[in-house]
Amino acid sequence: MISWFSFYKPLFMAQLLLAEFLCTCRLPRRSGFWLRYAVTVAVCLLFSVLIPGEPDGPVGLSLIFLLLFAFTFALNCFCFDVSVLSLLFCLSVAYVVQHFAYCLSNCMLLLTGLNTNIYGVYTEEVILHTLPVNAVFGYIFSFVIYYFSYYLFYLFFARRIRKREEPRIRNIPLFFLSIIAILFSIFINAVVVYGTDNGDLIIAVNFYNAACCLFIVYVLFGILNKTRMEKELSFVYGMLSKAEEQYEASKKNIEMINIKCHDLKQQIRTIGRANYINDTAIAEMSEAISIYDSAIKTGNVPLDIILTEKSLYCYKNSVVLSCMADGQLLGFMNEAEIYGMFGNALDNAISAVLALDDPEKRCVGLSVARVKGFVAVNVHNYYAGEIKRSEDGLPLTTKKEGEHGLGLKSIRYIAEKYGGKMSVQAEEGIFNLNILFPISEN
């Protein structure tokens, strides 16, 4: 005879597989993914039908569900190119979402009177006999609850998993504590299934489990976000440290170039006075040398150095770099931060205009000025194509996969460190990077 559990096992597996796909669809995939995944789904559903045994108590019921979950985990390892821990994270979240939808569905079915059995709509009475009208509505109502639970979960949580990027978990103890909380919630539900017919208690326990599931999902994604922020902050610190080293090296190089240029100009004038070469040749040589002579003076040494470096690069690549900057307004920042911030901003702008075919649009503008009670920094340039943005509103990088615009994030970090704000605007083919620093009275 068909029992309620024989019917529910494949249904549970289908619900779990759908939740798992929502959590894993953005992960890096192995070659031949869709064939692998189709085989995985088919084998998992077949396993849920053929697996022997009926639950003989809370422990047995919980173990069967965990066995089904473990089977999906093993097969998903052949579909996704991620570490075991990362896959366990995603599939654990999926299990929590399925359990949340189950608990919420049971609560609503009991409260509305569409079904009064703790097993939900999957009982012998419903399966083996004519479906009563309220059971039909119970199926529909349960489906709607599952659909909206999964949809809202994907909208608010699953989309935070970046495409083709493996989620890394560093807080291992808290992660496994969350796993224990999941197991406890499942066991409590199994105890209620076998231990009581009290409708009020059943509703209370299911609401409790649903609330626990929401909290666990929040904690798990909090772990993921914290790990990601630590990684990005570490990268930003690394960029600033590297910028400090580059600044010191560039400062020495620029000083050496200026000295050499000054000496060469003096030698050319001496040769010219001796009439060894004509005035036209002297003028041409002086002009050629002046290209390498530091002519940008903003009142801020690190800003002068980065502008000198970028102006030489722009000259070499036929890019016009225009600058109107009062560097003295940036005196509250340290030298490495100035060098790193403007270096990243100008690198992005120059890279964008180098991709343009129109030579007249190969120009980059920079300004630093006082606007009311703020120091306003603007870097603008032309660009081509469509600028895609990440979840935090910043443009995605066109560089190698995985950096996700960390140069702009380092600029935003520096701005926020001094109580400022960074914003980007892209309209009508012109990209504007704006940074505002409040001017302190001190």
Side-chain angles (χ1 to χ4, degrees):
M1 177 180 291
I2 300 176
S3 68
W4 73 273
F5 196 65
S6 298
F7 178 80
Y8 183 67
K9 282 185 293 185
L11 183 62
F12 165 80
M13 180 62 79
Q15 294 168 350
L16 181 61
L17 288 171
L18 179 57
E20 288 178 349
F21 183 75
L22 293 178
C23 290
T24 57
C25 62
R26 292 173 166 246
L27 296 181
R29 301 169 177 177
R30 298 188 186 275
S31 59
F33 168 77
W34 288 111
L35 178 60
R36 289 172 181 260
Y37 198 75
V39 172
T40 294
V41 171
V43 172
C44 286
L45 290 174
L46 182 63
F47 178 76
S48 66
V49 173
L50 299 179
I51 183 174
E54 295 291 333
D56 55 359
V59 176
L61 183 63
S62 301
L63 288 177
I64 290 176
F65 285 134
L66 292 176
L67 178 61
L68 294 173
F69 170 77
F71 192 77
T72 66
F73 175 78
L75 289 182
N76 271 290
C77 289
F78 294 98
C79 297
F80 298 98
D81 188 17
V82 295
S83 66
V84 172
L85 185 62
S86 297
L87 186 62
L88 180 62
F89 167 82
C90 293
L91 298 188
S92 298
V93 171
Y95 198 119
V96 174
V97 173
Q98 187 280 332
H99 193 60
F100 168 80
Y102 165 82
C103 293
L104 186 62
S105 174
N106 270 358
C107 285
M108 300 309 296
L109 287 170
L110 291 167
L111 286 172
T112 56
L114 292 175
N115 197 85
T116 58
N117 194 298
I118 184 58
Y119 300 136
V121 294
Y122 319 113
T123 63
E124 282 91 341
E125 178 185 358
V126 174
I127 298 169
L128 302 177
H129 302 88
T130 304
L131 288 175
V133 174
N134 68 327
V136 175
F137 281 109
Y139 274 114
I140 298 172
F141 193 60
S142 180
F143 173 80
V144 171
I145 291 174
Y146 270 88
Y147 172 81
F148 277 104
S149 297
Y150 283 19
Y151 172 75
L152 293 175
F153 158 74
Y154 180 79
L155 190 65
F156 290 104
F157 291 101
R159 291 199 306 174
R160 297 183 185 178
I161 301 175
R162 292 171 175 166
K163 288 185 178 180
R164 306 298 180 264
E165 180 180 319
E166 180 177 351
R168 301 285 184 179
I169 305 299
R170 290 187 180 178
N171 195 333
I172 305 300
L174 185 57
F175 172 60
F176 280 105
L177 186 63
S178 301
I179 298 295
I180 293 172
I182 297 170
L183 298 176
F184 180 75
S185 177
I186 294 169
F187 180 75
I188 289 295
N189 183 76
V191 170
V192 172
V193 167
Y194 276 91
T196 182
D197 291 326
N198 186 318
D200 293 337
L201 178 60
I202 291 169
I203 292 173
V205 170
N206 275 273
F207 265 124
Y208 165 78
N209 279 341
C212 286
C213 289
L214 280 179
F215 178 73
I216 291 169
V217 170
Y218 178 79
V219 169
L220 289 174
F221 273 89
I223 296 172
L224 178 63
N225 289 336
K226 185 174 184 293
T227 301
R228 184 180 295 159
M229 290 175 65
E230 288 175 349
K231 178 183 175 183
E232 292 180 352
L233 194 58
S234 175
F235 191 90
V236 168
Y237 285 149
M239 291 180 68
L240 289 176
S241 177
K242 186 177 180 180
E244 186 173 6
E245 295 175 3
Q246 291 177 338
Y247 167 67
E248 293 299 330
S250 297
K251 185 177 180 181
K252 293 178 181 178
N253 291 337
I254 294 297
E255 289 175 353
M256 187 179 298
I257 289 173
N258 288 337
I259 292 171
K260 293 295 183 182
C261 288
H262 178 76
D263 292 343
L264 285 172
K265 286 182 178 180
Q266 289 294 108
Q267 292 175 18
I268 289 172
R269 292 192 189 98
T270 302
I271 293 172
R273 284 195 293 267
N275 295 320
Y276 290 119
I277 53 178
N278 59 43
D279 293 340
T280 303
I282 291 174
E284 290 176 353
M285 286 188 286
S286 297
E287 183 180 356
I289 292 172
S290 65
I291 295 171
Y292 299 96
D293 196 5
S294 178
I296 301 178
K297 301 294 182 183
T298 65
N300 186 286
V301 174
L303 182 58
D304 293 345
I305 289 173
I306 192 64
L307 287 174
T308 300
E309 281 187 339
K310 299 308 174 185
S311 65
L312 291 174
Y313 182 82
C314 287
Y315 177 82
K316 181 180 178 181
N317 291 276
S318 302
V319 174
V320 177
L321 174 61
S322 58
C323 173
M324 293 183 63
D326 183 357
Q328 293 180 344
L329 295 173
L330 302 173
F332 59 91
M333 298 172 64
N334 71 50
E335 295 180 337
E337 289 171 339
I338 295 172
Y339 185 87
M341 185 179 78
F342 284 95
N344 279 316
L346 291 172
D347 282 343
N348 291 339
I350 294 168
S351 295
V353 298
L354 285 176
L356 301 175
D357 296 327
D358 187 352
E360 294 185 359
K361 290 186 176 181
R362 289 191 172 186
C363 52
V364 174
L366 180 146
S367 65
V368 180
R370 179 168 184 156
V371 179
K372 296 184 178 179
F374 295 89
V375 176
V377 178
N378 172 265
V379 180
H380 57 273
N381 59 273
Y382 289 99
Y383 71 93
E386 180 184 359
I387 294 180
K388 297 181 180 180
R389 295 177 183 261
S390 60
E391 295 172 0
D392 55 8
L394 296 182
L396 288 173
T397 181
T398 57
K399 301 175 184 177
K400 66 180 181 179
E401 193 73 21
E403 288 188 353
H404 292 281
L406 288 174
L408 283 174
K409 289 183 179 180
S410 71
I411 296 174
R412 184 173 63 184
Y413 168 80
I414 294 170
E416 292 176 351
K417 175 182 175 181
Y418 293 100
K421 184 177 181 181
M422 185 201 82
S423 63
V424 295
Q425 185 179 18
E427 289 182 356
E428 299 180 354
I430 299 177
F431 184 87
N432 278 279
L433 170 65
N434 299 302
I435 309 167
L436 286 177
F437 294 104
I439 297 177
S440 172
E441 294 181 357
N442 297 323

